[in-house]
């Protein structure tokens, strides 16, 4: 018979899949002798079984839970529902991947009218007993019975008012008994049922409710954002309660073994005296820094320091721990790998490698490339920031810089983002429901909550800058304004915020590209030692090329020559070329473009020197260069002297129903070889001149786009060779050069063996290859792709990450066939996928030589390439 | 050492590739003892060598020719260039595939001033000798020296005029000597060189000129039209001359063993007394029917009948023979498989199978499916034709019916065709230069020439209707008019012509679909016995479906439901559906469309009964149904009451940059499942009702278009199943149905194994599959594809014939993967390639179950499918 429930002494950290992260780590801590309140875990398999059985819990599983409950009673020496010394438990979710705050938790389970009274007598603390009971009813009512939290809050606030009491801590036992009764009435009113008094019923219903919370809206969204599969299910941990709210000798807290924001090697966290865990995370009270504990509970603090050290060494990674002190005794409630900022992740990895805790490979493997993006985002210009007016200060909860318009709601933040507007989401405190708004905003600013509040934790994990606990701010939700020191700001006004410093500024502040930290440079250099893929940049101009070299590019994988034509001083010449009636006129117009192109290429080569630069011949359909609006047409007619009617005629002649599949790419070079001749001449003359000027060997790579037929390539190659050889002869140069092609048409991949007979390199143009393989126009189907991802028709946007099954299989065919015919063929990718870590891993696996991506993605690509190499080596 | 020259007694009919068709058959006739003037053949390899050597003839080959010439002299007993009894030869082209009249021929080679005189003395016929000499100079001057024929004609006519002579036959020896001298002057004036007197020089230069004629413009065009590769080269036949122009006991002629127009089993042909071969073919004199020969040369005629019978039995096919009678002795100059009309081809094949000469399979194999199209072209409505006024009568040279505007030049015919206008090309006589015009015109009408004239032969081979030798017509090329019995018609006036009857009518005559002859029905029924591929029709409405059943369709492979929406009474409802703001409004509008769709499907099922009908769900992007012009928009705004501004907004919201790759196909059914629900309901209700009405079992096949992702199919399939099962329950029906998909997106082919887990059938949508695999929008790149075919980048238009290497390889993958997962998966094709014989052969080879094509292509498809089966069996 299958086992669905494990006591903490039956598991270990290797059983995450079955026990969830929390359950596995509770078992592990138990195993290595740390003080963990005893309990058991209902497995993820039970959760999946629950869903298979149409949200019913099998008799067998219920029986197993009851058996483990008896075992728990024996270990603790208390009885569930006992009238004298009742056993109370917490019921917490715990899935394979940490989803903090996304699912439900119930504390103090086992309390009812009788056991609450018994607890009060036993502890001689009626206030504690009924505080625990009211918390339990509220949590149970909300989680199990679906009564909105706001209903409970309303009752709570009104009773507090009636009692004339301002702070929760001032509520006495009789007030809390009154609230308990009011809550029970509320439950009856809202659900039509009595609040259940049977602890067994409470337990089973609570477990089922936690299973259900796996599929609540925010959990589903979180999984989507974090690429966590929906079918893993959650485990449920049932653990004997310990109480941080038993008075001034009790506390509860959260701490990290290192600083999750900066990576500094120091205990970092917060605690609240006389409180239960939820109080810390929820941000409703602002807790004290963990260091304060050394003063308040010196012995407990030393013990906690020791345990933190044990855990970090045991897990060989930064830990995020929850603990409770009950009457001076320390209990560990949770440990897990800590979420951290990119800065912290980098520093921690480098430090741990230096400490000998992990290898360099492991250090590189640990970097979350998606998160690294944070380090590559612009920061405020330092001078501008110094001049900016600081209007408020809060906790530096998540680093980074953001400028945007004030907004107060998730909806507004999402709407603004859709319109391309940047916003700062300002909230009293955030809750899991706010996730979508936090994703949409540039930064998050909360009035309440500490460094481990929901806002802070989530902002760090999604790389948003965040300032928490900024208490100078007063929000008026009705008026949609906020006031700071008497000054009122409205929704839509600009604010700026520096999440690393916790400073809020008036208005907007300009940003600059980031500089790399020494630690990050170390990770990059270790990555370079490990990776085998070369990294090139997609750069169309010398400025981008220079930036890419700074970021570590080893060449340019795609230089799109058409972008050079769109400049204001050049577009007239290309228009004259397009509107030429004869080949002679076209040649005349092209001869005007030659000096521009040549100068551009000279600059590129001066920047890139002898690094490879792949220059793609003109690709877009010619109509893209023509005026698009009536006004433009009039202007162009005036400039060129070509009659407006004739201009309109040319525009209409060149218009296409499906320009994506139209007269573009190599097709242009076949119909108008003189265009390719001009471009090849510009490339070759520039390469020869800069080679001589700098005394280096430049080997131009000329790339023919949109080839689908071997003979297309052969035709254009002939044009390229003829022109290139002519240039060499004219300059008396022996310069070497390569002629290759984009593989971006499905047929090119299917016939790559033939194309490789002629082509010296392949560069996968995965943007177009994806469009044509799926039959999806990226310009037209953005909304559809979102719909597909939401409905699960697509696991992810294939324009973000290579679709390995379809597009990827074409790439593999092309690599295999190409290499068979020409073993030394150069293979690369220049689609936007070249900067996507999962795509990079795929490129490594199928044996490409390089990936090419936008300059700002280069550091990510360097690390991703190293991780791919490590992973591949491991798998072999 | 390679052998480049073969004597006629060294070859056989199996050596076509080396010796060309003419050479191989001359050798074969020699081999079986028929009277063939001796000679030799210079091989096609020599021709290719000639081109490789930059149009020079290697020393070795020249030497070999000279050796064979000596052998020829020995066999004939005459010497080349001999002053007493000179050997004369003909030099004729002869390629692997017959290209009648496309390349050059030179007769009487070996004549010069001295041998001409000798020939005159020897034959005691100076007229004959100098007639032969002047013909030779003209041919040699034109073919070898490149002097325009018109120059010679001008000289000839002026000399004739000076001599006061009207008919060529009345020219005496002295006139011809005068012409010879004038020709020699002409040659000197035009070429700057003397006419060569050395027979050896004449021979070698003539052979080189024939090699060159392989690449003249009309030969290249002919090869393109007939899909003959350009690299085969031509052989050259050098044969001792026999003379049909030696006087009244000599003649020359062309004859077929059966009637090439009707297929009737009778000697069919023409001859001219005292003439050389070119006179018959060129149509300059109108020859006499071959039957007349029985009267004029009874013995020769009997001998000829015997030889014709021997040849037909030997070759087991209708022969097209050239012969010459020299002084009462019969010589065979050529035999080849006869080109024939479709009618004749069908009758001949059926008859020969009946005679036991060939098998039924062979009979089916012999049908040229491209030609069969002729039988499927509309004919004149019989009633209308009877009422039409016959204005002229000529020879029924090529059957069929045509109505069109008179035009007099190739250019005009081509221009009109490009503008979609139908023309009748009217010419004095046609020459090889007229080929392009004949292709462009609907019919060809000549004033001169017989049943075997150039016009007649070519028209039959390309399936154009033709009336030859219509001498009542007088053409005024200057005025661009023609006169018939005093009435003048101008270019652009309408004529009609019945090529089967030789009748020319005034004005236009309506056409009707053709009825099949009994012979054709026989071929079709034999084909049905042989083929394994099923044939279905692409039919969107009951009329097309009914037509397709008449033509033998075994089902409908593609019923496009959107065409049903475009009808005037329906488009308002679909527009309302598109413009609906809510799902409810959309459902409301769809409910209005349901009865229309259901009625359409009921009609389809009444026509098709229990034959399979594949109904495709809505495919085009919705914007196709919206008004396109401002005027239409205004109208629709009035009709629907939707404000114009809102209408424009909807149009602009739905507009797409690349609609081919946009929101269409199954993507519509995913975003708006209610559309698919309505369509499925219409299909199911119709099928259930007609099943009951007719007491038959209908199994609807519902096809989901544009699937590229397994989950897309699964999503829409769920919608289909839900609706279909609901209908079954409502009607209390147990009807069976299939749900399958188009394979038209490359990714669908690449992931076909997964899609086959859900899909019960695949139908290859090769139109879109070709567009996406090549990245070629058919709407935008027609001109480009023509350019590609001309430049040889594409061997043929991939929208006509499946690109086996690219698109075909995707199909093969899909077939293999689909069948592996679902062994009984139904496989078909519904792209336009389904009616193309070469594509059908491919579909047979990769194991599809059926092809689906337009109703008029069904007979072709039936035969092509049989031929594919035969070919496949042979290869196995």
């Amino acid at each position: 018979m299958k086992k669905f429930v494990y006591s903490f002494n039956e598991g270990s950290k290797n059983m995450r899949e079955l026990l969830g992260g929390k359950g596995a780590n509770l078992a592990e801590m138990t195993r290595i002798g740390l003080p963990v309140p005893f309990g058991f875990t209902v497995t993820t398999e039970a959760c999946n079984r629950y869903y298979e059985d149409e949200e019913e819990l099998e008799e067998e599983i219920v029986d197993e839970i009851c058996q483990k409950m008896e075992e728990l009673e024996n270990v603790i020496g208390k009885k569930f529902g006992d009238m004298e010394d009742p056993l109370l438990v917490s019921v917490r979710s715990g899935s394979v991947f940490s989803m903090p705050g996304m699912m439900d938790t119930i504390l103090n389970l086992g309390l009812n009218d009788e056991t609450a009274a018994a607890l009060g007598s036993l502890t001689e603390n009626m206030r504690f007993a009924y505080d625990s009971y009211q918390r339990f009813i509220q949590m149970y009512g909300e989680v199990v019975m679906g009564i909105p939290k706001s209903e409970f809050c309303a009752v709570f606030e009104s009773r507090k008012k009636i009692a004339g009491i301002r702070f929760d801590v001032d509520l006495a036992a009789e007030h809390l008994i009154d609230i308990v009764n009011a809550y029970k009435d509320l439950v009856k009113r809202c659900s039509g049922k009595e609040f259940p008094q049977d602890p067994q019923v409470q337990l089973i219903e609570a477990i089922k409710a936690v299973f259900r919370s796996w599929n609540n809206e925010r959990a589903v969204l979180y999984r989507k954002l974090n690429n966590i599969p929906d079918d893993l299910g959650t485990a449920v941990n049932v653990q004997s309660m310990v109480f941080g709210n038993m008075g001034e000798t009790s506390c509860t807290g959260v701490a990290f073994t290192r600083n999750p924001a900066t990576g500094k090697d120091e205990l970092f966290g917060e605690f609240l005296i006389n409180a239960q865990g939820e109080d810390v995370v929820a941000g409703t009270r602002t807790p004290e820094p963990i260091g304060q504990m050394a003063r308040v509970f010196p012995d407990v603090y030393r013990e906690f320091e020791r345990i933190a050290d044990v855990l970090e060494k045991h897990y060989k990674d930064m830990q995020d721990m929850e603990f409770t002190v009950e009457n001076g005794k320390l209990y560990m409630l949770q440990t897990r790998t800590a979420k951290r900022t990119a800065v912290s992740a980098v520093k921690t990895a480098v430090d741990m490698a230096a400490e000998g805790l992990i290898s360099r490979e492991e250090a590189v493997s640990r970097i979350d490339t998606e998160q690294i993006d944070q380090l590559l985002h612009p920061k405020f210009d330092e001078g501008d920031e110094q001049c900016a007016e600081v209007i408020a200060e809060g906790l530096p909860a998540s680093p980074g810089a953001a400028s945007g318009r004030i907004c107060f709601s998730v909806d507004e933040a999402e709407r603004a983002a859709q319109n391309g507007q940047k916003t700062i989401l300002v909230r009293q405190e955030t809750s899991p429901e706010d996730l979508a708004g936090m994703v949409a905003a540039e930064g998050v600013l909360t009035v309440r909550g500490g460094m481990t509040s929901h806002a802070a934790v989530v902002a760090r994990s999604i790389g948003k800058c965040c300032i928490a606990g900024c208490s100078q701010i007063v929000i008026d939700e009705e008026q949609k304004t906020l006031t700071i020191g008497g000054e009122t700001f409205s929704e839509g006004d600009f604010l700026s915020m520096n999440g690393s410093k916790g400073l809020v500024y008036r208005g907007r502040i300009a940003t600059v590209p980031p500089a790399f930290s020494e630690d990050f440079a170390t990770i990059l250099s270790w990555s370079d030692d490990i990776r085998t893929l070369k990294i090139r940049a997609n750069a169309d101009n010398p400025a981008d090329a220079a930036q890419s070299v700074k970021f570590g590019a080893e060449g340019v994988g795609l230089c799109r020559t058409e972008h050079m034509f769109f400049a204001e001083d050049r577009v007239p010449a290309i228009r004259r070329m397009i509107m030429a009636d004869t080949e002679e006129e076209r040649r005349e117009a092209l001869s005007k473009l030659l000096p521009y192109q040549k100068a551009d290429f000279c600059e590129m080569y001066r920047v890139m020197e002898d690094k490879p630069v792949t220059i793609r011949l003109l690709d877009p359909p010619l109509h893209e260069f023509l005026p698009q609006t009536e006004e433009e047409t009039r202007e162009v007619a005036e400039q060129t002297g070509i009659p407006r009617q004739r201009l309109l005629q040319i525009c209409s002649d060149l218009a296409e129903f499906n320009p994506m599949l139209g007269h573009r790419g190599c097709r242009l070079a076949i119909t108008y070889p003189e265009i390719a001749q001009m471009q090849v001449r510009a490339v070759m003359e520039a390469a020869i001149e800069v080679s001589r000027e700098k005394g280096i060997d430049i080997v131009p790579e000329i790339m023919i786009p949109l080839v689908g037929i071997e003979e297309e390539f052969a035709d254009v190659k002939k044009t390229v060779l003829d022109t290139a050889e002519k240039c060499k002869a004219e300059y008396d140069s022996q310069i070497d050069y390569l002629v290759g092609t984009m593989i971006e048409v499905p047929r090119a991949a299917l016939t790559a063996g033939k194309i490789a007979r002629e082509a010296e390199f392949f560069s996968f143009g995965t943007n177009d290859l994806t469009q044509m393989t799926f039959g999806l126009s990226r310009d037209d189907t953005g909304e559809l792709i979102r719909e597909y991802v939401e409905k699960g028709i697509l696991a992810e946007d294939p324009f973000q990450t290579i679709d390995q099954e379809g597009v990827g299989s074409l790439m593999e065919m092309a690599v295999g066939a190409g290499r068979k015919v020409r073993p030394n063929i150069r293979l690369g990718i220049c689609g936007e996928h070249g900067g996507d870590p999962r795509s990079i891993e795929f490129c490594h696996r199928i044996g490409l030589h390089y990936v090419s991506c936008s300059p700002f993605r280069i550091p990510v690509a360097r690390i991703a390439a190293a991780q791919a190499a490590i992973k591949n080596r491991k798998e072999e």
Side-chain angles (χ1 to χ4, degrees), chain A:
Chain A
M1 214 185 70
K2 196 156 209 159
K3 183 172 165 78
F4 287 106
V5 189
Y6 288 76
S7 288
F8 288 171
N9 56 4
E10 295 178 318
S12 80
K13 71 176 160 53
N14 302 321
M15 293 167 73
R16 290 182 76 91
E17 262 179 56
L18 198 59
L19 305 180
K22 190 193 292 256
N25 287 330
L26 285 167
E28 186 74 11
M29 286 196 289
T30 304
R31 210 173 63 78
I32 64 174
L34 299 185
V36 174
F38 198 62
F40 58 83
T41 305
V42 188
T43 65
T44 54
E45 284 178 354
C47 177
N48 289 329
R49 187 68 69 95
Y50 169 77
Y51 279 109
E52 277 161 30
D53 293 344
E54 291 172 359
E55 312 206 357
E56 281 300 330
L57 206 57
E58 264 176 55
E59 200 63 42
E60 282 175 28
I61 297 178
V62 171
D63 289 349
E64 228 184 308
I65 291 169
C66 292
Q67 279 168 31
K68 288 294 178 185
M69 199 67 206
E70 274 175 45
E71 190 187 329
L72 178 56
E73 287 172 335
N74 295 338
V75 169
I76 301 291
K78 296 183 183 183
K79 284 234 167 276
F80 205 37
D82 188 72
M83 303 288 199
E84 290 184 3
D85 190 3
L87 172 63
L88 302 186
V89 296
S90 64
V91 176
R92 293 174 208 252
S93 62
S95 60
V96 179
F97 299 103
S98 171
M99 295 167 56
M102 294 301 134
M103 288 179 296
D104 294 324
T105 288
I106 298 171
L107 302 181
N108 311 334
L109 189 139
L111 283 175
N112 56 21
D113 295 350
E114 287 166 345
T115 54
L119 184 65
S121 307
L122 186 78
T123 58
E124 297 181 339
N125 189 340
M126 280 299 168
R127 190 193 176 282
F128 156 68
Y130 284 93
D131 184 38
S132 300
Y133 193 22
Q134 68 87 5
R135 285 170 188 263
F136 171 52
I137 299 176
Q138 183 187 319
M139 284 187 270
Y140 189 94
E142 191 189 344
V143 171
V144 181
M145 308 182 84
I147 299 162
K149 189 180 188 174
S150 57
E151 297 278 337
F152 289 102
C153 289
V155 168
F156 191 87
E157 293 300 325
S158 89
R159 295 288 149 170
K160 220 164 84 178
K161 206 166 182 183
I162 291 165
I165 283 168
R166 192 164 163 211
F167 296 109
D168 293 5
V169 286
D170 296 333
L171 288 166
E174 67 263 30
H175 300 126
L176 292 162
I177 292 171
D178 182 40
I179 287 171
V180 161
N181 289 327
Y183 277 3
K184 288 198 292 186
D185 291 347
L186 174 68
V187 165
K188 175 113 198 242
R189 200 172 64 240
C190 289
S191 71
K193 286 186 228 154
E194 295 289 346
F195 179 77
Q197 293 288 318
D198 180 347
Q200 295 290 350
V201 171
Q202 291 173 358
L203 179 65
I204 299 301
E205 290 307 311
I207 289 170
K208 283 158 66 176
V210 173
F211 282 162
R212 282 199 297 278
S213 72
W214 172 253
N215 274 337
N216 71 35
E217 228 173 275
R218 58 181 198 258
V220 170
L221 176 62
Y222 185 92
R223 287 200 293 274
K224 185 171 296 167
L225 281 171
N226 291 276
N227 289 309
I228 299 173
D230 282 331
D231 59 359
L232 294 178
T234 183
V236 178
N237 299 290
V238 178
Q239 187 174 24
S240 55
M241 282 298 300
V242 287
F243 296 94
N245 57 343
M246 248 190 202
E248 295 305 309
T249 57
S250 300
C251 71
T252 190
V254 171
F256 295 80
T257 56
R258 302 192 186 210
N259 189 315
T262 66
K264 199 170 164 205
D265 187 4
E266 63 185 2
L267 262 190
F268 175 93
E270 293 160 328
F271 74 110
L272 266 174
I273 293 174
N274 196 16
Q276 281 202 323
E278 304 313 285
D279 301 329
V280 183
V281 177
T284 42
R285 279 164 62 192
T286 301
E288 292 180 70
I290 194 85
Q292 286 295 92
M293 241 178 96
R295 208 176 42 76
V296 187
F297 306 118
D299 294 344
V300 170
Y301 186 70
R302 264 194 303 282
E303 170 68 359
F304 183 66
E305 278 186 318
R306 187 190 67 82
I307 289 176
D309 192 48
V310 165
L311 283 171
E312 192 180 271
K313 293 225 164 74
H314 184 71
Y315 282 96
K316 295 189 200 296
D317 203 354
M318 190 201 301
Q319 295 298 298
D320 164 2
M321 303 161 292
E322 288 179 22
F323 64 92
T324 283
V325 176
E326 185 187 87
N327 275 331
K329 173 151 175 44
L330 174 66
Y331 292 96
M332 297 304 295
L333 298 184
Q334 162 145 332
T335 191
R336 60 185 172 192
T337 301
K339 304 218 174 208
R340 63 205 83 172
T341 61
V343 169
S344 173
V346 168
K347 180 168 171 45
T348 305
V350 172
D351 286 353
M352 287 187 172
E355 293 159 21
L357 205 59
I358 58 175
S359 68
R360 286 181 177 189
E361 287 209 348
E362 179 62 26
V364 169
S365 292
R366 284 214 183 147
I367 304 301
D368 176 349
T369 46
E370 310 221 350
Q371 202 190 21
I372 278 303
D373 220 24
Q374 289 175 31
L375 301 180
L376 307 170
H377 280 314
K379 314 230 150 179
F380 287 142
D381 177 278
E382 233 172 272
D384 287 5
E385 189 174 3
Q386 272 168 9
C387 299
E389 183 192 349
V390 175
I391 52 174
E393 194 171 348
L395 300 171
S398 180
S403 280
R405 294 173 187 277
I406 296 169
C407 84
F408 295 103
S409 69
V410 173
D411 284 356
E412 186 48 36
E414 286 192 293
R415 201 173 309 124
Q418 272 161 17
N419 296 329
Q421 286 179 351
K422 298 181 169 181
T423 57
I424 305 289
L425 180 63
V426 185
R427 301 286 280 165
Q428 209 63 268
E429 60 199 320
T430 67
S431 69
E433 284 84 3
D434 292 325
L435 181 58
M438 296 176 72
V439 169
E442 298 298 303
V444 182
L445 180 56
T446 68
V447 178
R448 285 189 267 167
M451 291 294 284
T452 54
S453 65
H454 175 267
V457 170
V458 172
R460 285 197 293 268
S461 81
I462 63 176
K464 292 287 166 182
C465 110
C466 174
I467 297 174
C470 187
S471 51
Q472 296 127 294
I473 292 178
V474 180
I475 297 178
D476 182 336
E477 300 240 8
E478 283 286 294
Q479 296 296 317
K480 298 201 170 183
T481 59
L482 62 82
T483 316
I484 304 176
E487 188 179 357
T488 302
F489 297 82
S490 304
E491 188 159 73
D493 287 349
F494 275 99
L495 286 187
S496 296
M497 50 187 284
N498 183 328
S500 315
K501 299 181 180 166
L503 298 177
V504 182
Y505 301 95
R506 184 193 301 285
R508 274 182 282 192
I509 303 179
T511 55
V512 292
F516 295 160
S517 71
E518 203 178 310
D519 289 325
F520 191 46
T522 303
I523 288 288
L524 287 172
S525 102
W526 290 351
S527 298
D528 292 346
D529 292 342
I530 295 165
R531 69 185 161 85
T532 55
L533 271 175
K534 297 276 175 197
I535 312 294
R536 296 198 195 180
N538 294 350
D540 304 338
N541 56 60
D544 283 0
Q547 179 65 59
S548 76
V549 170
K550 276 192 201 141
F551 278 165
E554 293 160 295
V556 165
L558 176 62
C559 174
R560 283 167 288 227
T561 51
E562 53 270 22
H563 289 204
M564 297 173 172
F565 288 155
F566 279 114
E568 216 171 315
D569 51 344
R570 301 164 184 200
V571 82
I574 190 154
R575 283 181 179 157
R576 260 193 300 277
M577 186 274 284
I578 295 169
M579 293 180 289
D581 281 321
T582 62
E583 194 185 315
E584 281 61 45
E585 274 180 53
R586 200 154 41 240
R587 284 189 185 280
E588 166 71 20
L590 284 165
S591 70
K592 296 234 169 65
L593 283 167
L594 177 63
Y596 287 119
Q597 285 251 294
K598 182 173 165 183
D600 288 330
F601 295 141
C602 281
E603 270 316 298
M604 285 296 277
Y605 284 128
R606 285 193 191 105
V607 169
M608 298 306 295
E609 301 190 313
D610 56 359
K611 297 182 190 71
V613 177
T614 308
I615 292 169
R616 180 177 75 181
L617 299 183
L618 193 67
D619 182 57
L622 295 182
H623 50 74
E624 281 197 14
F625 296 100
L626 293 179
Q628 307 292 329
T629 64
E630 269 189 46
E631 204 185 312
E632 263 192 286
T633 310
R634 204 165 21 243
E635 268 174 40
V636 171
E638 273 169 31
Q639 283 166 11
T640 56
I642 293 174
R644 206 172 131 273
Q645 276 311 318
R646 169 124 176 73
L647 206 54
L648 288 173
Q649 185 58 45
I650 292 173
C651 290
S652 115
D653 285 352
L654 288 177
E656 294 181 314
F657 293 105
N658 293 289
M660 162 74 45
L661 311 177
H663 196 221
R664 50 174 285 241
C666 66
R667 299 162 191 173
L668 292 173
I670 290 170
T671 309
Y672 310 111
E674 52 280 6
I675 300 178
Q677 283 160 5
M678 182 278 284
Q679 295 201 292
V680 171
R681 176 166 286 277
V683 172
M684 295 301 290
E685 290 188 358
I688 294 171
E689 285 186 15
V690 178
S691 282
R692 286 180 180 166
E693 174 188 313
K694 295 212 158 201
I696 53 178
D697 277 340
I698 292 173
V699 181
E701 298 182 357
I702 293 169
M703 181 153 73
I704 301 171
L706 210 75
V707 165
I709 311 169
E710 182 193 5
E711 289 79 3
E712 275 180 327
F713 185 84
D715 182 285
V716 183
K717 185 182 172 187
K718 187 171 176 317
T719 304
V720 172
L721 294 191
D722 286 351
T723 307
E725 292 303 321
K726 221 177 281 173
C727 289
K728 280 171 63 177
E730 285 168 23
Y731 277 73
D732 190 22
S733 162
Q734 290 306 313
I735 193 168
D736 217 0
Y737 58 97
L738 301 175
V739 188
T741 185
M742 299 270 277
I743 300 285
E744 56 186 332
V745 169
R747 195 177 186 283
L750 293 164
T751 60
K754 293 204 160 178
I755 294 171
R757 296 197 288 218
E758 295 278 344
E760 294 171 295
F761 62 84
F762 284 171
S763 177
F764 290 97
T766 46
N767 297 350
D768 276 7
L769 190 61
T770 301
Q771 297 197 83
M772 294 181 200
T773 304
F774 274 89
L776 274 175
S777 158
R778 197 176 179 182
D779 289 335
D780 296 314
T781 57
E783 189 53 53
L784 181 76
I785 290 174
R786 271 191 291 281
E787 190 185 336
Y788 272 21
V789 171
E790 257 164 44
K791 289 190 172 160
I793 290 174
L794 282 170
E796 54 217 335
D797 180 348
F799 293 106
Q800 299 284 333
T801 294
I802 285 173
D803 156 51
Q804 296 189 16
E805 223 170 348
V807 176
S809 75
L810 283 175
M811 291 173 69
E812 286 195 70
M813 281 180 218
V815 167
R819 214 166 238 152
K820 199 166 164 195
V821 170
R822 187 187 288 265
N824 67 343
I825 192 166
R826 299 298 298 169
L827 300 165
I829 178 174
C830 62
E832 279 168 55
H833 300 93
D836 168 67
R838 270 179 297 166
S839 306
I840 290 171
E841 192 193 319
F842 177 74
C843 292
H844 176 91
R845 190 151 52 72
I846 65 172
L848 301 196
H849 296 107
Y850 68 86
V851 299
S852 187
C853 58
S854 72
F856 277 87
R857 293 296 289 181
I858 284 182
V860 167
R862 288 162 71 186
I863 298 172
Q867 291 179 342
I870 294 165
K871 196 172 165 197
N872 219 240
R873 228 173 287 158
K874 273 189 195 152
E875 281 166 5
E876 279 170 5

